[in-house]
Amino acid sequence: MNMWQVDFHELYRRHLCRHSAWGLNFYHFVAVLGVYTSLFGLALQSAFQPIGQGFVAAVLAAYFMTLACNVPAKVFMVTLLVVFAVLAAVLFVPGFLGRRDILPAWGHLLLLVTWHRCQVFQHRFYPDTADMSAFEARYKKGFALFVLLAVYELPLLLNFLVYDHEQPAEIRRG
């Protein structure tokens, strides 16, 4: 499992084994937007503002270079648009969660954990899963898979919600 060289279509087929319902993908998307908002808020609230901004820029550059090499161009463009929309909201919307005087750093940490737990909890309402044994050898559970999915989750969700949501689940899984 190499985060820098991913077969996006294979990873997407794996994603659909547990995330074939539109509602689950939508709620996961909302939670991912919350996670990104908290991460941006935390990074931009650092005691040394230019360092926080530089850190966000460096992480985003690495993130987008990784995605550009591994996801379809149309998914990459939508991901780029969504990430920059969230960042713009954190930076420019008056009174939004990224403002230091509105929400302190510990609040962003608390929200970060809360958004992640919401994602896990949503599976109780959408329990359908398909056989994932075809992916077990390549995608072993553990920290590496967690990081891989954290990097590619937004493009996977956007691929489903924007481009693939109308196909029957049987076709997507095949």
Side-chain angles (χ1 to χ4, degrees), residues 12-121:
Y12 183 64
R13 285 193 316 274
R14 182 194 180 282
H15 170 82
L16 290 175
C17 289
R18 292 196 63 210
H19 299 88
S20 61
W22 188 89
L24 182 61
N25 280 280
F26 175 76
Y27 292 126
H28 271 48
F29 174 68
V30 170
V32 167
L33 293 181
V35 166
Y36 278 45
T37 299
S38 292
L39 289 173
F40 288 149
L42 271 172
L44 295 172
Q45 279 188 18
S46 66
F48 303 100
Q49 193 74 3
I51 292 174
Q53 293 170 356
F55 177 74
V56 170
V59 169
L60 285 177
Y63 178 65
F64 288 130
M65 285 191 296
T66 301
L67 292 184
C69 296
N70 292 295
V71 303
K74 63 184 184 179
V75 177
F76 174 76
M77 295 306 292
V78 171
T79 305
L80 191 73
L81 178 69
V82 167
V83 171
F84 280 118
V86 172
L87 181 59
V90 170
L91 288 172
F92 301 117
V93 174
F96 197 65
L97 296 176
R99 296 238 346 233
R100 184 180 192 126
D101 56 336
I102 301 297
L103 188 64
W106 63 265
H108 284 295
L109 283 172
L110 183 62
L111 281 175
L112 186 64
V113 172
T114 302
W115 284 118
H116 181 264
R117 296 309 308 157
C118 283
Q119 278 185 285
V120 173
F121 184 72

